[in-house]
């Protein structure tokens, strides 16, 4: 969608601006860090930044994954790209592949110097870093502990156990559905498909190294038995879910907070944190988190997972923006000036992201947030720590060859057809077999496109 719309500057010189900061255009930042606490925080930070540097800020708030890309494409096509975009890297992979981003090495080095080393890595090619990371997302299984207790359920460790729980909840006298399955064509459904595929011992994007030692060429790995089993699994879950086509990232939180379903795939301790901030204690303090279940019937267990790294989220600097130098200065001001300032910016959504710099989560600033002292919110801090120490520590990076750090793999990931597989099956557009074949066709096409672009 965005390919070819930006050019030049891929290795990032100082584009735009220059000279007296007062003569620079405002730094234009498009961000999905956009709730009321974030907006108040950005207002305070941008005011102090402008007062200190004379560089103005223009911050536009966008929707989340699945919506933000449309706004970004519109800006690019109109000749008004932002200086900064906030997202996971795959959301701007097309821009990067056409040299539309600039490197961020100096900003990241400044951030690490005050906040500690990175826990997870943004996209790095050679010596070049292409993102100023803010935090990272870990795939977690969220469930209602009170519902589990009432029905005598145990946390599922297998796909079948998850389906059994969903059926038991859905057939109970409790007014709640068994599972919230994301079935919109983009966004959460993409992540849900890929994360569960990894738990089957299969590459999350259907590609693998032809030679795991050389790691210089990717091939398709789209095993029919595994893919069709996974699609049938989602089809079964849809029987116990509200309309899957109504569920994406935002609605999966709002509907969960409304008590519509008792289990779901999500990220970190995000839903419980939003419930606490929204003063819904019956949801906030009854949300448990656990590792995603594994496909144990076929032999895939903890040591087989192809989940390699948590997903890094942060800020990208556009080579075609009007004030690239100002964008660098702004991000260094926010992340590379002091640990206290960096830690404080997690206060807006403290459970959405895990801080990516190792000294943040144990810092006095972070652990001293008023949020953790309210109600039973200390439980949410403990869940974040559990996610980092146990879910990532024990359930990620188990298979070394699952590290597909390659531009072609990134290009294929960005094509947004994985989530549509779920949509096609749960809406009856395709049979499971038809969806498998449709997905393989898309995978073959996208892999060839990626090879032509980067080889």
């Amino acid at each position: 969608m965005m390919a070819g719309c930006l050019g030049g500057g891929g290795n990032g010189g100082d584009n735009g601006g220059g000279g007296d900061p007062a003569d620079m255009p405002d730094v234009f930042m498009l961000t999905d860090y956009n709730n009321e606490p974030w907006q108040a925080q950005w207002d305070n930070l941008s005011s102090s930044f402008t007062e200190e540097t004379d560089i103005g800020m223009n911050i536009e708030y966008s929707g989340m994954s699945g919506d933000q890309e449309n706004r970004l494409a519109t800006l690019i096509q109109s000749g008004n790209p932002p200086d900064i975009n906030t997202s996971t890297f795959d959301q701007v992979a097309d821009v990067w592949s056409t040299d539309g981003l600039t490197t961020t090495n100096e900003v990241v080095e400044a951030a690490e110097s005050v906040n500690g080393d990175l826990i997870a890595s943004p996209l790095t090619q050679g010596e070049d870093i292409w993102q100023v990371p803010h935090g990272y997302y870990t795939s977690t299984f969220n469930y209602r502990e009170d519902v589990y207790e009432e029905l005598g359920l145990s946390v599922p460790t297998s796909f079948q156990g998850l389906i059994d729980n969903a059926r038991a909840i859905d057939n109970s006298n409790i007014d709640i559905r068994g599972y919230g399955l994301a079935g919109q064509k983009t966004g959460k459904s993409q992540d849900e498909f890929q994360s569960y595929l990894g738990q089957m011992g299969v590459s999350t994007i259907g590609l693998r190294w032809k030679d795991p030692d050389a790691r210089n060429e990717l091939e398709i790995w789209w095993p029919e038995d595994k893919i069709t089993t996974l699609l049938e699994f989602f089809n079964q879950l849809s029987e116990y879910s509200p309309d899957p086509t109504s569920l994406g990232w935002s609605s999966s939180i709002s509907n969960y907070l409304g008590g519509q379903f008792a289990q779901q795939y999500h990220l970190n301790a995000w839903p419980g944190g939003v419930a606490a901030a929204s003063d819904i204690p019956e949801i906030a303090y009854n949300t448990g988190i656990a590792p995603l279940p594994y496909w144990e019937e076929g032999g895939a267990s903890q040591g087989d997972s192809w989940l390699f790294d948590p997903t890094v989220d942060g800020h990208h600097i556009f080579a075609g923006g009007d004030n690239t130098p100002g964008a660098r200065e702004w991000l260094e001001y926010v992340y590379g000036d002091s640990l206290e300032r960096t830690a404080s910016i997690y206060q807006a959504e403290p459970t959405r992201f895990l801080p990516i710099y190792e000294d943040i989560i144990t810092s006095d600033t972070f652990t001293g947030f008023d949020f953790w002292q309210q109600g039973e919110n200390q439980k949410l801090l403990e869940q974040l720590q559990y996610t980092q120490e146990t879910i990532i520590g024990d359930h990620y990076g188990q298979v070394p060859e699952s590290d597909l750090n390659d531009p072609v793999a990134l290009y294929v990931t960005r094509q947004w057809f994985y989530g549509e597989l779920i949509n096609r099956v749960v809406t009856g557009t395709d049979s499971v077999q038809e969806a498998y074949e449709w997905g393989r066709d898309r995978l073959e096409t996208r892999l060839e496109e990626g090879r032509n672009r980067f080889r």
Side-chain angles (χ1 to χ4, degrees):
M1 178 171 60
M2 293 178 280
C5 297
L6 283 175
N11 202 29
D14 290 336
N15 294 4
D20 188 343
D23 295 331
M24 292 182 179
D26 291 350
V27 174
F28 177 19
M29 177 168 138
L30 180 69
T31 181
D32 64 353
Y33 300 178
N34 59 4
N35 63 16
E36 288 185 11
W38 266 117
Q39 293 188 31
Q41 192 158 258
W42 288 133
D43 286 345
N44 290 334
L45 281 169
S46 61
S47 295
S48 60
F49 172 72
T50 298
E51 183 176 344
E52 184 174 315
T53 65
D54 286 332
I55 300 172
M57 292 296 302
N58 171 22
I59 301 177
E60 178 180 327
Y61 303 105
S62 69
M64 294 183 185
S65 174
D67 297 319
Q68 186 188 46
E69 292 89 346
N70 292 332
R71 175 57 180 157
L72 181 59
T74 298
L75 290 169
I76 291 172
Q77 290 164 2
S78 68
N80 185 36
D83 297 294
I84 300 169
N85 178 79
T86 305
S87 69
T88 56
F89 192 87
D90 64 296
Q91 291 172 251
V92 292
D94 283 351
V95 179
W96 171 76
S97 71
T98 53
D99 292 333
L101 300 183
T102 185
T103 55
T104 61
N105 295 53
E106 292 181 1
V107 181
V108 174
E109 289 169 5
E112 287 188 286
S113 71
V114 298
N115 305 314
D117 293 339
L118 292 173
I119 293 173
S121 298
L123 182 77
T124 304
Q125 290 291 302
E127 299 297 321
D128 293 332
I129 304 172
W130 300 92
Q131 185 184 61
V132 177
H134 170 78
Y136 59 95
Y137 290 125
T138 303
S139 298
T140 57
F141 177 69
N142 286 217
Y143 64 99
R144 285 281 298 273
E145 293 176 325
D146 52 339
V147 174
Y148 268 45
E149 182 177 356
E150 183 169 345
L151 298 178
L153 303 177
S154 300
V155 176
T157 57
S158 70
F159 285 12
Q160 187 59 53
L162 174 53
I163 289 174
D164 291 344
N165 282 1
R167 182 185 302 113
I169 294 166
D170 218 55
N171 292 338
S172 73
N173 293 324
I174 304 174
D175 185 20
I176 194 168
R177 300 304 306 273
Y179 191 86
L181 177 65
Q184 294 179 355
K185 290 184 179 181
T186 59
K188 189 170 188 272
S189 61
Q190 170 114 342
D191 281 23
E192 192 149 5
F193 179 89
Q194 291 178 325
S195 295
Y196 278 107
L197 184 58
Q199 298 298 78
M200 298 184 78
V202 179
S203 165
T204 59
I205 60 173
L207 300 177
R208 63 183 175 187
W209 297 113
K210 184 172 289 188
D211 181 342
D213 295 323
R215 299 195 177 198
N216 57 10
E217 185 179 358
L218 292 164
E219 65 178 4
I220 289 176
W221 184 26
W222 195 247
E224 183 173 349
D225 61 334
K226 301 287 183 69
I227 303 299
T228 55
T229 295
L230 180 59
L231 291 173
E232 183 55 41
F233 165 70
F234 286 130
N235 203 30
Q236 291 181 56
L237 279 181
S238 71
E239 298 176 19
Y240 311 113
S241 174
D243 178 11
T245 63
S246 71
L247 293 179
W249 284 119
S250 296
S251 53
S252 70
I253 293 178
S254 60
N255 290 11
Y256 180 76
L257 268 57
Q260 291 197 19
F261 47 84
Q263 306 177 111
Q264 66 171 325
Y265 158 83
H266 222 280
L267 304 171
N268 299 337
W270 194 358
V274 176
S278 304
D279 195 23
I280 311 176
E282 63 272 20
I283 303 293
Y285 309 134
N286 281 304
T287 295
I289 63 170
L292 289 181
Y294 291 84
W295 183 51
E296 293 180 342
E297 288 183 16
S301 60
Q302 183 171 322
D304 303 312
S305 174
W306 270 62
L307 295 181
F308 183 76
D309 255 341
T311 301
V312 179
D313 201 279
H315 312 282
H316 312 96
I317 301 177
F318 279 55
D322 290 333
N323 193 352
T324 300
R328 294 181 189 282
E329 193 163 346
W330 159 250
L331 291 175
E332 188 164 335
Y333 176 82
V334 174
Y335 291 94
D337 192 58
S338 73
L339 184 146
E340 290 74 19
R341 179 180 294 149
T342 306
S344 70
I345 66 175
Y346 295 90
Q347 192 162 198
E349 286 186 291
T351 61
R352 176 177 174 182
F353 298 105
L354 273 159
I356 199 165
Y357 306 96
E358 66 178 4
D359 295 342
I360 296 294
I361 200 169
T362 57
S363 68
D364 291 341
T365 300
F366 188 88
T367 58
F369 288 163
D370 289 342
F371 180 80
W372 305 128
Q373 319 312 320
Q374 299 168 12
E376 299 175 37
N377 288 1
Q378 189 70 26
K379 174 183 177 179
L380 300 169
L381 176 59
E382 292 169 358
Q383 287 182 334
L384 284 184
Q385 294 167 342
Y386 168 78
T387 300
Q388 180 167 297
E389 295 168 5
T390 301
I391 294 182
I392 295 174
D394 295 347
H395 298 268
Y396 274 71
Q398 302 299 312
V399 179
E401 57 266 33
S402 65
D403 180 8
L404 302 180
N405 182 21
D406 183 87
V408 175
L410 180 63
Y411 176 84
V412 173
T413 302
R414 177 61 182 82
Q415 300 310 308
W416 296 111
F417 64 85
Y418 302 93
E420 190 170 346
L421 289 166
I422 297 177
N423 179 273
R424 283 173 168 264
V425 169
V426 301
T427 60
T429 302
D430 282 350
S431 67
V432 165
Q433 186 64 36
E434 289 169 339
Y436 163 80
E437 293 170 357
W438 180 87
R440 184 176 181 88
D441 178 71
R442 293 299 180 278
L443 187 58
E444 290 172 346
T445 300
R446 301 315 183 200
L447 176 58
E448 187 62 26
E449 290 174 355
R451 284 171 171 165
N452 290 338
R453 178 167 292 187
F454 294 106
R455 294 291 183 259

